[in-house]
Amino acid sequence: MTSTRRTVLLRSSWATVNIGDVAHSPGVVRAFQRFAPEVEVVLWPIRLEERERSMLRHAFPDVRVVDGALGVDGPSTPELAAAIDGADVLMHGSGADAFQGAEIDWWREHVGRPYGYFGITVDPLCPPTMATLPELAQMVDQLPPSYLEDDVKDRFDGADFVYCRETLTLATLRGQKITGPDLAFGPDGTFAFDHTDDVAAARLLEELGLRPGRFACFVPRLRYAPYAKIYGTAPTREQMRRDAINRATVTQDLAVLAAAIETWVRVSGLPAVVVPEMSYAVELAHEQLPGLLSPQTLDQVRILDRYWPLEEATGVYAVSSLVVSMECHSPIMAARHAIPTVYLRQPTETTKSQMFADLGAPDLVIELDHRAAATVVAAVTDIATDPAPAIARSRRVAANADDRLRAAVEACVAGRPLSAGIGDA
């Protein structure tokens, strides 16, 4: 492993229809700016729209973004060819899996310099399994070491580092006898994202009749994102299966979010705003939530009528009183700004949900089981009555994430193993 890394080529930016995915890339960039400012991070995105590019230009004016793809003839653009030639290490950014197998293979064959994975989840069980986090932990322990495909294991073993964004992924890869890389817990890059558009946030609050520190945010979702509908493509058989599960479970799942909204309005006497982490959730909220709320509560609820930019969302979260989310990245963004937050975990969610327990806040996660409504009512009541413990919990999560991100960045740059710590025993 080299100790002279000064340029990191970050392969990331998987999607723009999810502000959580949008936050991965700038979060990793911010982590390097904070903990290794001498290093240049060059972003090589999969997908960026003009809105996201504008945000990056504004928040990170010195960051170079290179476009292009790898084909049989190599890089498709001169700028990508130059970025590859100048990179000391290829870094696969935070995300739900190790996506870019063909690109990693090309890098290994034609470049031969170090590569690694920064804050990824590898969940071999969910989907299609439905399970709680404790159940997933038991299942991971039962997998034979031959479970992962040989080519996947070979890529991991050939990496210099694999930083897992939660310890169930760490346990999975250790159980598969991955021994080549520096294998450790290294959080989702979103934990480092701190950019806000305060002007846009203030304008939105004024439009909705809300005051800073006097409202709560609620984020809905389906068990599976309806990607065929989002992208206007013909659904696959697997997407049809997921859509059927969504239709059968949407009412019972959103009823738990509705219970949280009812409790917040009743106990705090303050309004609520329903906001999207994914683009499809705008329509979902308008179609489903009004019928699940009492007329008295509905009078105090605003439902955002558009998908919003990441930096506007973080600006609103940063001045809210509470964020209750069925998506996992909005709680990360809330915790970054010391805002009380609760994550409602659906049983189709992956092992990534373990990240909050790994960062010292297992009680931040509420499983959507038969006890969920009562549990979230109690949690929201406590926060509305006395927010101090929940504020302290968010600060603890952010501080622990910073410690681990600092260690991961420094280890990556120096080319030495990440020091032992949480999840590494």
Side-chain angles (χ1 to χ4, degrees):
M1 299 177 77
T2 177
S3 60
T4 59
R5 296 175 186 167
R6 289 295 178 266
T7 303
V8 173
L9 181 58
L10 173 63
R11 186 55 158 158
S12 189
S13 302
W14 319 117
T16 59
V17 296
N18 181 334
I19 60 172
D21 279 347
V22 173
H24 286 145
S25 298
V28 172
V29 170
R30 181 68 84 208
F32 274 80
Q33 288 181 337
R34 293 176 64 194
F35 304 129
E38 74 280 7
V39 172
E40 180 187 16
V41 178
V42 179
L43 175 60
W44 175 23
I46 295 284
R47 184 181 289 110
L48 282 181
E49 306 298 337
E50 178 53 35
R51 179 166 72 176
E52 288 71 37
R53 291 177 186 270
S54 177
M55 180 270 291
L56 288 168
R57 287 193 296 267
H58 181 74
F60 307 95
D62 296 329
V63 170
R64 184 157 48 109
V65 179
V66 298
D67 294 302
L70 281 177
V72 293
D73 297 324
S76 64
T77 64
E79 59 180 333
L80 176 57
I84 290 173
D85 185 58
D88 296 302
V89 58
L90 174 65
M91 176 182 290
H92 184 296
S94 293
D97 207 342
F99 298 115
Q100 304 306 115
E103 293 176 354
I104 295 294
D105 292 344
W106 188 93
W107 178 272
R108 295 175 71 183
E109 179 180 355
H110 296 280
V111 180
R113 292 191 290 275
Y115 69 93
Y117 301 82
F118 196 95
I120 65 165
T121 286
V122 177
D123 186 340
L125 297 161
C126 188
T129 304
M130 296 189 191
T132 64
L133 281 170
E135 289 168 342
L136 286 175
Q138 292 179 0
M139 295 174 192
V140 164
D141 285 342
Q142 300 304 314
L143 288 174
S146 59
Y147 183 81
L148 286 183
E149 295 88 345
D150 288 343
D151 60 333
V152 174
K153 294 176 72 170
D154 184 60
R155 289 185 198 107
F156 283 137
D157 258 327
D160 272 34
F161 56 91
V162 178
Y163 298 145
C164 309
R165 64 177 174 174
E166 26 70 29
T167 54
L168 288 180
T169 287
L170 189 62
T172 295
L173 296 184
R174 284 178 171 167
Q176 296 301 300
K177 308 304 181 184
I178 304 299
T179 58
D182 177 22
L183 184 59
F185 168 51
D188 191 314
T190 301
F191 279 103
F193 182 78
D194 57 6
H195 178 63
T196 61
D197 187 337
D198 298 332
V199 173
R203 184 168 55 245
L204 178 60
L205 295 192
E206 183 177 3
E207 291 173 2
L208 297 175
L210 302 173
R211 291 184 291 160
R214 305 285 292 171
F215 68 95
C217 296
F218 296 85
V219 183
R221 69 163 278 143
L222 296 166
R223 293 200 176 185
Y224 295 106
Y227 284 111
K229 183 176 182 180
I230 291 170
Y231 292 120
T233 59
T236 64
R237 290 178 62 85
E238 172 61 15
Q239 287 171 330
M240 293 176 188
R241 183 188 73 86
R242 296 183 182 195
D243 287 344
I245 293 171
N246 285 342
R247 289 191 293 270
T249 58
V250 60
T251 300
Q252 68 189 59
D253 286 0
L254 289 181
V256 179
L257 188 69
I261 296 171
E262 293 273 1
T263 303
W264 170 257
V265 171
R266 174 177 54 82
V267 177
S268 72
L270 298 174
V273 57
V274 180
V275 295
E277 186 169 309
M278 288 197 70
S279 59
Y280 78 86
V282 176
E283 181 180 351
L284 173 69
H286 280 277
E287 288 183 349
Q288 297 289 334
L289 278 172
L292 297 172
L293 296 169
S294 67
Q296 298 89 338
T297 296
L298 194 55
D299 287 342
Q300 295 298 313
V301 175
R302 287 76 159 159
I303 301 178
L304 192 61
D305 61 0
R306 58 179 171 83
Y307 179 53
W308 54 348
L310 168 63
E311 65 274 27
E312 181 183 30
T314 52
V316 169
Y317 289 163
V319 296
S320 68
S321 302
L322 167 66
V323 175
V324 178
S325 177
M326 298 171 72
E327 296 273 8
C328 82
H329 284 89
S330 288
I332 294 175
M333 299 170 201
R336 176 78 271 164
H337 296 279
I339 300 302
T341 187
V342 174
Y343 172 39
L344 302 178
R345 181 189 181 274
Q346 293 164 302
T348 49
E349 194 53 277
T350 68
T351 59
K352 69 181 178 183
S353 314
Q354 177 68 24
M355 68 176 77
F356 297 106
D358 295 333
L359 293 170
D363 56 334
L364 191 152
V365 179
I366 296 175
E367 299 273 6
L368 275 185
D369 56 20
H370 65 280
R371 301 162 294 183
T375 305
V376 77
V377 165
V380 172
T381 299
D382 288 346
I383 293 170
T385 304
D386 178 14
I391 292 172
R393 181 176 67 188
S394 287
R395 285 180 173 150
R396 180 171 68 251
V397 166
N400 288 340
D402 280 349
D403 288 344
R404 296 302 298 181
L405 284 167
R406 180 186 294 107
V409 167
E410 291 175 351
C412 170
V413 172
R416 61 172 180 264
L418 197 158
S419 58
I422 180 172
D424 295 333

Short mmCIF file of all heavy atoms in Angstrom, two decimals, residues 269-308:
data_model
loop_
_atom_site.label_atom_id
_atom_site.label_comp_id
_atom_site.label_asym_id
_atom_site.label_seq_id
_atom_site.Cartn_x
_atom_site.Cartn_y
_atom_site.Cartn_z
N GLY A 269 -48.55 20.59 19.93
CA GLY A 269 -49.37 21.71 19.49
C GLY A 269 -48.79 22.42 18.28
O GLY A 269 -49.26 23.50 17.91
N LEU A 270 -47.80 21.81 17.62
CA LEU A 270 -47.12 22.43 16.49
C LEU A 270 -47.44 21.68 15.20
O LEU A 270 -47.83 20.52 15.22
CB LEU A 270 -45.60 22.42 16.73
CG LEU A 270 -45.12 23.21 17.94
CD1 LEU A 270 -43.62 23.02 18.15
CD2 LEU A 270 -45.45 24.69 17.79
N PRO A 271 -47.25 22.35 14.06
CA PRO A 271 -47.59 21.72 12.77
C PRO A 271 -46.55 20.69 12.32
O PRO A 271 -45.44 20.60 12.86
CB PRO A 271 -47.63 22.90 11.81
CG PRO A 271 -46.74 23.93 12.42
CD PRO A 271 -46.89 23.77 13.91
N ALA A 272 -46.96 19.92 11.31
CA ALA A 272 -46.11 18.91 10.70
C ALA A 272 -46.05 19.15 9.21
O ALA A 272 -47.01 19.65 8.61
CB ALA A 272 -46.65 17.51 10.99
N VAL A 273 -44.93 18.78 8.60
CA VAL A 273 -44.81 18.85 7.14
C VAL A 273 -44.31 17.50 6.65
O VAL A 273 -43.37 16.93 7.19
CB VAL A 273 -43.87 20.00 6.70
CG1 VAL A 273 -42.49 19.88 7.31
CG2 VAL A 273 -43.78 20.06 5.17
N VAL A 274 -44.99 16.96 5.64
CA VAL A 274 -44.62 15.67 5.04
C VAL A 274 -43.78 15.97 3.81
O VAL A 274 -44.20 16.70 2.92
CB VAL A 274 -45.87 14.86 4.66
CG1 VAL A 274 -45.47 13.53 4.03
CG2 VAL A 274 -46.74 14.64 5.89
N VAL A 275 -42.57 15.38 3.78
CA VAL A 275 -41.59 15.71 2.74
C VAL A 275 -41.01 14.43 2.15
O VAL A 275 -41.02 13.38 2.78
CB VAL A 275 -40.46 16.59 3.31
CG1 VAL A 275 -41.01 17.94 3.75
CG2 VAL A 275 -39.76 15.90 4.48
N PRO A 276 -40.48 14.49 0.92
CA PRO A 276 -39.96 13.29 0.27
C PRO A 276 -38.46 13.14 0.41
O PRO A 276 -37.72 14.13 0.37
CB PRO A 276 -40.32 13.52 -1.20
CG PRO A 276 -40.15 15.01 -1.36
CD PRO A 276 -40.57 15.62 -0.04
N GLU A 277 -38.00 11.90 0.57
CA GLU A 277 -36.59 11.62 0.33
C GLU A 277 -36.42 11.12 -1.09
O GLU A 277 -35.40 11.37 -1.71
CB GLU A 277 -36.05 10.60 1.34
CG GLU A 277 -34.55 10.40 1.22
CD GLU A 277 -33.94 9.60 2.35
OE1 GLU A 277 -34.18 9.93 3.52
OE2 GLU A 277 -33.21 8.64 2.05
N MET A 278 -37.44 10.42 -1.61
CA MET A 278 -37.42 9.99 -3.00
C MET A 278 -38.54 10.69 -3.77
O MET A 278 -39.57 11.05 -3.19
CB MET A 278 -37.58 8.48 -3.10
CG MET A 278 -36.36 7.71 -2.66
SD MET A 278 -36.37 5.98 -3.24
CE MET A 278 -36.12 6.20 -5.02
N SER A 279 -38.35 10.84 -5.06
CA SER A 279 -39.26 11.62 -5.87
C SER A 279 -40.69 11.08 -5.86
O SER A 279 -41.66 11.84 -5.83
CB SER A 279 -38.75 11.70 -7.31
OG SER A 279 -38.61 10.40 -7.88
N TYR A 280 -40.85 9.75 -5.87
CA TYR A 280 -42.20 9.16 -5.93
C TYR A 280 -43.01 9.43 -4.68
O TYR A 280 -44.24 9.32 -4.69
CB TYR A 280 -42.11 7.65 -6.17
CG TYR A 280 -41.76 6.86 -4.93
CD1 TYR A 280 -42.75 6.44 -4.04
CD2 TYR A 280 -40.45 6.55 -4.61
CE1 TYR A 280 -42.43 5.74 -2.88
CE2 TYR A 280 -40.12 5.85 -3.48
CZ TYR A 280 -41.12 5.45 -2.61
OH TYR A 280 -40.82 4.77 -1.47
N ALA A 281 -42.35 9.78 -3.57
CA ALA A 281 -43.05 9.94 -2.29
C ALA A 281 -43.96 11.15 -2.26
O ALA A 281 -44.84 11.24 -1.39
CB ALA A 281 -42.04 10.02 -1.15
N VAL A 282 -43.79 12.08 -3.18
CA VAL A 282 -44.70 13.23 -3.24
C VAL A 282 -46.11 12.74 -3.55
O VAL A 282 -47.07 13.06 -2.83
CB VAL A 282 -44.22 14.24 -4.30
CG1 VAL A 282 -45.23 15.39 -4.43
CG2 VAL A 282 -42.84 14.77 -3.95
N GLU A 283 -46.25 11.97 -4.62
CA GLU A 283 -47.55 11.43 -4.98
C GLU A 283 -48.07 10.48 -3.91
O GLU A 283 -49.26 10.50 -3.56
CB GLU A 283 -47.45 10.70 -6.32
CG GLU A 283 -48.76 10.10 -6.82
CD GLU A 283 -48.61 9.38 -8.15
OE1 GLU A 283 -47.53 9.47 -8.76
OE2 GLU A 283 -49.58 8.71 -8.57
N LEU A 284 -47.19 9.66 -3.37
CA LEU A 284 -47.58 8.72 -2.32
C LEU A 284 -48.19 9.44 -1.13
O LEU A 284 -49.26 9.04 -0.62
CB LEU A 284 -46.35 7.92 -1.87
CG LEU A 284 -46.53 7.00 -0.66
CD1 LEU A 284 -47.43 5.82 -1.02
CD2 LEU A 284 -45.17 6.53 -0.16
N ALA A 285 -47.55 10.49 -0.67
CA ALA A 285 -48.05 11.22 0.49
C ALA A 285 -49.41 11.84 0.23
O ALA A 285 -50.32 11.77 1.06
CB ALA A 285 -47.04 12.30 0.89
N HIS A 286 -49.58 12.45 -0.93
CA HIS A 286 -50.85 13.10 -1.24
C HIS A 286 -51.98 12.09 -1.40
O HIS A 286 -53.13 12.37 -1.04
CB HIS A 286 -50.72 13.95 -2.51
CG HIS A 286 -50.07 15.28 -2.28
ND1 HIS A 286 -50.76 16.38 -1.84
CD2 HIS A 286 -48.78 15.67 -2.40
CE1 HIS A 286 -49.94 17.41 -1.72
NE2 HIS A 286 -48.74 17.01 -2.06
N GLU A 287 -51.66 10.91 -1.92
CA GLU A 287 -52.69 9.90 -2.13
C GLU A 287 -53.09 9.18 -0.84
O GLU A 287 -54.26 8.85 -0.64
CB GLU A 287 -52.22 8.87 -3.16
CG GLU A 287 -52.17 9.38 -4.58
CD GLU A 287 -51.75 8.30 -5.55
OE1 GLU A 287 -51.30 7.23 -5.09
OE2 GLU A 287 -51.88 8.52 -6.77
N GLN A 288 -52.14 8.92 0.02
CA GLN A 288 -52.36 8.00 1.13
C GLN A 288 -52.57 8.68 2.49
O GLN A 288 -53.43 8.24 3.26
CB GLN A 288 -51.18 7.04 1.22
CG GLN A 288 -51.00 6.15 0.01
CD GLN A 288 -52.07 5.09 -0.12
OE1 GLN A 288 -52.68 4.67 0.87
NE2 GLN A 288 -52.33 4.64 -1.33
N LEU A 289 -51.78 9.69 2.80
CA LEU A 289 -51.79 10.17 4.18
C LEU A 289 -53.06 10.91 4.61
O LEU A 289 -53.49 10.75 5.76
CB LEU A 289 -50.55 11.04 4.43
CG LEU A 289 -49.29 10.23 4.76
CD1 LEU A 289 -48.07 11.13 4.80
CD2 LEU A 289 -49.45 9.50 6.09
N PRO A 290 -53.69 11.73 3.76
CA PRO A 290 -54.90 12.42 4.24
C PRO A 290 -55.95 11.48 4.79
O PRO A 290 -56.62 11.80 5.78
CB PRO A 290 -55.38 13.17 2.99
CG PRO A 290 -54.13 13.43 2.22
CD PRO A 290 -53.29 12.20 2.42
N GLY A 291 -56.12 10.31 4.19
CA GLY A 291 -57.12 9.37 4.67
C GLY A 291 -56.75 8.66 5.95
O GLY A 291 -57.60 8.01 6.57
N LEU A 292 -55.49 8.79 6.38
CA LEU A 292 -55.03 8.15 7.60
C LEU A 292 -54.95 9.10 8.79
O LEU A 292 -54.64 8.67 9.90
CB LEU A 292 -53.64 7.52 7.37
CG LEU A 292 -53.59 6.40 6.32
CD1 LEU A 292 -52.15 6.00 6.05
CD2 LEU A 292 -54.40 5.19 6.78
N LEU A 293 -55.24 10.38 8.55
CA LEU A 293 -55.14 11.38 9.60
C LEU A 293 -56.52 11.90 9.98
O LEU A 293 -57.42 12.02 9.13
CB LEU A 293 -54.27 12.55 9.14
CG LEU A 293 -52.80 12.22 8.84
CD1 LEU A 293 -52.14 13.40 8.13
CD2 LEU A 293 -52.06 11.87 10.12
N SER A 294 -56.69 12.23 11.24
CA SER A 294 -57.95 12.81 11.69
C SER A 294 -58.10 14.21 11.11
O SER A 294 -57.11 14.88 10.80
CB SER A 294 -57.98 12.90 13.22
OG SER A 294 -57.02 13.84 13.67
N PRO A 295 -59.34 14.69 10.92
CA PRO A 295 -59.54 16.04 10.37
C PRO A 295 -58.84 17.11 11.18
O PRO A 295 -58.29 18.07 10.62
CB PRO A 295 -61.06 16.20 10.40
CG PRO A 295 -61.60 14.80 10.36
CD PRO A 295 -60.62 13.97 11.13
N GLN A 296 -58.84 16.97 12.52
CA GLN A 296 -58.20 17.98 13.36
C GLN A 296 -56.70 18.03 13.10
O GLN A 296 -56.11 19.12 13.00
CB GLN A 296 -58.47 17.68 14.84
CG GLN A 296 -59.95 17.73 15.21
CD GLN A 296 -60.63 16.37 15.04
OE1 GLN A 296 -60.17 15.51 14.29
NE2 GLN A 296 -61.75 16.20 15.72
N THR A 297 -56.09 16.86 12.99
CA THR A 297 -54.64 16.82 12.73
C THR A 297 -54.33 17.29 11.32
O THR A 297 -53.36 18.04 11.10
CB THR A 297 -54.10 15.40 12.93
OG1 THR A 297 -54.26 15.04 14.31
CG2 THR A 297 -52.65 15.30 12.54
N LEU A 298 -55.15 16.89 10.36
CA LEU A 298 -54.89 17.24 8.97
C LEU A 298 -54.84 18.75 8.78
O LEU A 298 -54.09 19.25 7.92
CB LEU A 298 -55.97 16.62 8.08
CG LEU A 298 -55.70 16.60 6.57
CD1 LEU A 298 -54.37 15.91 6.26
CD2 LEU A 298 -56.84 15.93 5.84
N ASP A 299 -55.57 19.49 9.58
CA ASP A 299 -55.53 20.94 9.50
C ASP A 299 -54.15 21.51 9.84
O ASP A 299 -53.82 22.64 9.46
CB ASP A 299 -56.57 21.56 10.45
CG ASP A 299 -57.99 21.39 9.94
OD1 ASP A 299 -58.15 21.13 8.74
OD2 ASP A 299 -58.93 21.51 10.75
N GLN A 300 -53.36 20.72 10.58
CA GLN A 300 -52.03 21.18 11.00
C GLN A 300 -50.90 20.53 10.18
O GLN A 300 -49.74 20.64 10.55
CB GLN A 300 -51.82 20.86 12.48
CG GLN A 300 -52.75 21.60 13.41
CD GLN A 300 -52.52 23.11 13.31
OE1 GLN A 300 -51.38 23.56 13.35
NE2 GLN A 300 -53.59 23.87 13.17
N VAL A 301 -51.27 19.86 9.09
CA VAL A 301 -50.29 19.13 8.29
C VAL A 301 -50.15 19.77 6.91
O VAL A 301 -51.15 20.02 6.24
CB VAL A 301 -50.67 17.64 8.15
CG1 VAL A 301 -49.71 16.92 7.22
CG2 VAL A 301 -50.70 16.97 9.51
N ARG A 302 -48.92 20.02 6.52
CA ARG A 302 -48.62 20.44 5.16
C ARG A 302 -47.95 19.26 4.45
O ARG A 302 -47.11 18.59 5.03
CB ARG A 302 -47.65 21.62 5.12
CG ARG A 302 -48.25 22.96 5.54
CD ARG A 302 -48.42 23.08 7.02
NE ARG A 302 -48.51 24.47 7.45
CZ ARG A 302 -49.06 24.83 8.59
NH1 ARG A 302 -49.61 23.92 9.41
NH2 ARG A 302 -49.07 26.10 8.93
N ILE A 303 -48.32 19.04 3.20
CA ILE A 303 -47.69 17.99 2.40
C ILE A 303 -47.01 18.67 1.22
O ILE A 303 -47.68 19.30 0.39
CB ILE A 303 -48.71 16.95 1.92
CG1 ILE A 303 -49.43 16.30 3.11
CG2 ILE A 303 -48.02 15.89 1.06
CD1 ILE A 303 -50.50 15.30 2.71
N LEU A 304 -45.69 18.60 1.18
CA LEU A 304 -44.95 19.25 0.11
C LEU A 304 -45.39 18.70 -1.24
O LEU A 304 -45.55 17.48 -1.40
CB LEU A 304 -43.45 19.03 0.31
CG LEU A 304 -42.51 19.88 -0.55
CD1 LEU A 304 -42.70 21.36 -0.27
CD2 LEU A 304 -41.06 19.47 -0.31
N ASP A 305 -45.59 19.58 -2.20
CA ASP A 305 -46.16 19.17 -3.48
C ASP A 305 -45.11 18.98 -4.58
O ASP A 305 -45.45 18.94 -5.76
CB ASP A 305 -47.21 20.18 -3.93
CG ASP A 305 -46.64 21.58 -4.14
OD1 ASP A 305 -45.42 21.77 -3.93
OD2 ASP A 305 -47.42 22.49 -4.50
N ARG A 306 -43.85 18.84 -4.18
CA ARG A 306 -42.79 18.67 -5.18
C ARG A 306 -41.61 17.92 -4.55
O ARG A 306 -41.44 17.90 -3.33
CB ARG A 306 -42.29 20.03 -5.70
CG ARG A 306 -41.77 20.93 -4.59
CD ARG A 306 -41.26 22.27 -5.13
NE ARG A 306 -40.96 23.20 -4.07
CZ ARG A 306 -39.82 23.22 -3.38
NH1 ARG A 306 -38.87 22.33 -3.65
NH2 ARG A 306 -39.61 24.13 -2.43
N TYR A 307 -40.82 17.29 -5.41
CA TYR A 307 -39.53 16.71 -5.00
C TYR A 307 -38.55 17.86 -4.82
O TYR A 307 -38.50 18.76 -5.64
CB TYR A 307 -39.06 15.74 -6.07
CG TYR A 307 -37.74 15.08 -5.82
CD1 TYR A 307 -37.49 14.40 -4.63
CD2 TYR A 307 -36.73 15.11 -6.78
CE1 TYR A 307 -36.27 13.77 -4.41
CE2 TYR A 307 -35.52 14.47 -6.58
CZ TYR A 307 -35.29 13.81 -5.38
OH TYR A 307 -34.09 13.19 -5.18
N TRP A 308 -37.80 17.82 -3.75
CA TRP A 308 -36.96 18.99 -3.44
C TRP A 308 -35.48 18.68 -3.56
O TRP A 308 -35.04 17.53 -3.46
CB TRP A 308 -37.31 19.55 -2.08
CG TRP A 308 -37.27 18.58 -0.90
CD1 TRP A 308 -37.17 17.22 -0.91
CD2 TRP A 308 -37.37 18.95 0.47
NE1 TRP A 308 -37.20 16.72 0.36
CE2 TRP A 308 -37.33 17.76 1.23
CE3 TRP A 308 -37.49 20.16 1.14
CZ2 TRP A 308 -37.39 17.74 2.62
CZ3 TRP A 308 -37.57 20.16 2.53
CH2 TRP A 308 -37.52 18.97 3.24
#
